[in-house]
Amino acid sequence: RIELRRRRQMREDAKPKFVLSLVGAFTIAGTMYVLTGIFGYLNYGDATAASLLRNYAGQGGIVVPVLLAFIVIIATSYPIIAFTTRLAITNLLVHDHQVKAVRGSVIATVLYACAYVVA
Protein backbone atom coordinates (compact mmCIF):
# COMPACT_ATOMS: atom_id res chain seq x y z
CA ARG A 1 0.00 0.00 0.00
CA ILE A 2 2.80 2.38 0.87
CA GLU A 3 4.65 1.43 -2.31
CA LEU A 4 1.56 2.13 -4.42
CA ARG A 5 1.21 5.62 -2.96
CA ARG A 6 4.87 6.32 -3.64
CA ARG A 7 4.55 5.16 -7.25
CA ARG A 8 1.54 7.43 -7.77
CA GLN A 9 3.53 10.40 -6.48
CA MET A 10 6.45 9.60 -8.76
CA ARG A 11 6.80 11.47 -12.04
CA GLU A 12 5.63 9.46 -15.02
CA ASP A 13 9.01 9.63 -16.78
CA ALA A 14 10.79 8.31 -13.66
CA LYS A 15 8.71 5.12 -13.28
CA PRO A 16 10.46 3.08 -16.01
CA LYS A 17 13.86 4.07 -14.61
CA PHE A 18 12.75 3.05 -11.13
CA VAL A 19 11.54 -0.35 -12.30
CA LEU A 20 14.73 -0.86 -14.34
CA SER A 21 16.91 -0.02 -11.33
CA LEU A 22 14.93 -2.42 -9.13
CA VAL A 23 15.24 -5.24 -11.65
CA GLY A 24 18.95 -4.53 -12.09
CA ALA A 25 19.62 -4.42 -8.35
CA PHE A 26 17.78 -7.67 -7.65
CA THR A 27 19.43 -9.36 -10.63
CA ILE A 28 22.91 -8.38 -9.46
CA ALA A 29 22.20 -9.34 -5.84
CA GLY A 30 20.61 -12.66 -6.83
CA THR A 31 23.47 -13.52 -9.18
CA MET A 32 26.06 -12.75 -6.48
CA TYR A 33 24.11 -14.84 -3.97
CA VAL A 34 23.87 -17.84 -6.32
CA LEU A 35 27.54 -17.59 -7.36
CA THR A 36 28.64 -17.42 -3.73
CA GLY A 37 26.64 -20.56 -2.99
CA ILE A 38 28.00 -22.42 -6.02
CA PHE A 39 31.63 -21.52 -5.38
CA GLY A 40 31.27 -22.21 -1.67
CA TYR A 41 29.90 -25.67 -2.41
CA LEU A 42 32.59 -26.34 -5.03
CA ASN A 43 35.26 -25.30 -2.53
CA TYR A 44 34.00 -27.14 0.56
CA GLY A 45 31.60 -29.75 -0.84
CA ASP A 46 29.75 -31.87 1.68
CA ALA A 47 31.96 -30.59 4.51
CA THR A 48 29.79 -27.46 4.71
CA ALA A 49 27.67 -27.45 7.87
CA ALA A 50 23.98 -26.56 7.72
CA SER A 51 24.59 -23.62 10.05
CA LEU A 52 27.04 -21.10 8.65
CA LEU A 53 28.47 -20.34 12.10
CA ARG A 54 29.38 -24.00 12.68
CA ASN A 55 31.77 -23.88 9.73
CA TYR A 56 34.12 -21.67 11.75
CA ALA A 57 34.47 -23.90 14.80
CA GLY A 58 38.10 -24.56 15.74
CA GLN A 59 39.85 -23.13 12.68
CA GLY A 60 42.38 -20.75 14.18
CA GLY A 61 42.52 -17.28 15.67
CA ILE A 62 40.21 -15.65 13.15
CA VAL A 63 37.16 -17.52 14.46
CA VAL A 64 36.34 -15.14 17.33
CA PRO A 65 36.48 -11.91 15.26
CA VAL A 66 34.35 -13.49 12.53
CA LEU A 67 31.74 -14.64 15.05
CA LEU A 68 31.74 -11.19 16.66
CA ALA A 69 31.24 -9.62 13.23
CA PHE A 70 28.22 -11.89 12.65
CA ILE A 71 26.78 -10.88 16.02
CA VAL A 72 27.21 -7.17 15.23
CA ILE A 73 25.60 -7.56 11.79
CA ILE A 74 22.61 -9.46 13.15
CA ALA A 75 22.18 -7.15 16.16
CA THR A 76 22.21 -4.02 14.01
CA SER A 77 20.11 -5.26 11.08
CA TYR A 78 17.33 -7.09 12.93
CA PRO A 79 15.73 -3.98 14.48
CA ILE A 80 15.53 -2.29 11.07
CA ILE A 81 13.88 -5.32 9.49
CA ALA A 82 11.51 -5.84 12.42
CA PHE A 83 10.49 -2.17 12.51
CA THR A 84 9.65 -1.98 8.81
CA THR A 85 7.80 -5.30 8.96
CA ARG A 86 5.77 -4.16 11.96
CA LEU A 87 5.02 -0.84 10.27
CA ALA A 88 3.85 -2.51 7.06
CA ILE A 89 1.64 -5.02 8.89
CA THR A 90 0.17 -2.29 11.11
CA ASN A 91 -0.62 -0.09 8.10
CA LEU A 92 -2.32 -2.99 6.35
CA LEU A 93 -4.42 -4.11 9.32
CA VAL A 94 -5.19 -0.92 11.25
CA HIS A 95 -6.55 2.32 9.84
CA ASP A 96 -7.31 4.18 13.10
CA HIS A 97 -4.26 6.18 14.27
CA GLN A 98 -5.16 5.90 17.98
CA VAL A 99 -5.32 2.13 17.81
CA LYS A 100 -2.07 1.82 15.81
CA ALA A 101 0.19 2.33 18.83
CA VAL A 102 -1.43 -0.50 20.81
CA ARG A 103 -1.74 -2.85 17.86
CA GLY A 104 1.82 -2.03 16.79
CA SER A 105 3.09 -3.22 20.18
CA VAL A 106 1.08 -6.42 19.90
CA ILE A 107 2.34 -7.04 16.36
CA ALA A 108 5.94 -6.36 17.46
CA THR A 109 5.56 -8.86 20.33
CA VAL A 110 4.20 -11.50 17.95
CA LEU A 111 7.04 -10.85 15.47
CA TYR A 112 9.70 -11.18 18.18
CA ALA A 113 8.08 -14.36 19.51
CA CYS A 114 7.99 -15.87 16.00
CA ALA A 115 11.64 -14.94 15.44
CA TYR A 116 12.56 -16.55 18.77
CA VAL A 117 10.70 -19.76 17.89
CA VAL A 118 12.32 -19.93 14.43
CA ALA A 119 15.80 -19.28 15.83
Side-chain angles (χ1 to χ4, degrees), residues 19-29:
V19 172
L20 183 65
S21 66
L22 279 177
V23 169
F26 279 102
T27 301
I28 291 170

Side-chain angles (χ1 to χ4, degrees), residues 43-97:
N43 192 23
Y44 298 107
D46 292 332
T48 304
S51 172
L52 183 64
L53 296 178
R54 292 181 191 251
N55 289 323
Y56 293 105
Q59 292 185 5
I62 189 108
V63 174
V64 174
V66 167
L67 292 177
L68 288 175
F70 274 118
I71 291 170
V72 169
I73 290 169
I74 292 169
T76 56
S77 64
Y78 184 77
I80 297 169
I81 295 167
F83 175 75
T84 54
T85 303
R86 180 186 60 85
L87 186 64
I89 291 172
T90 304
N91 285 337
L92 285 173
L93 298 178
V94 183
H95 299 290
D96 185 7
H97 292 291

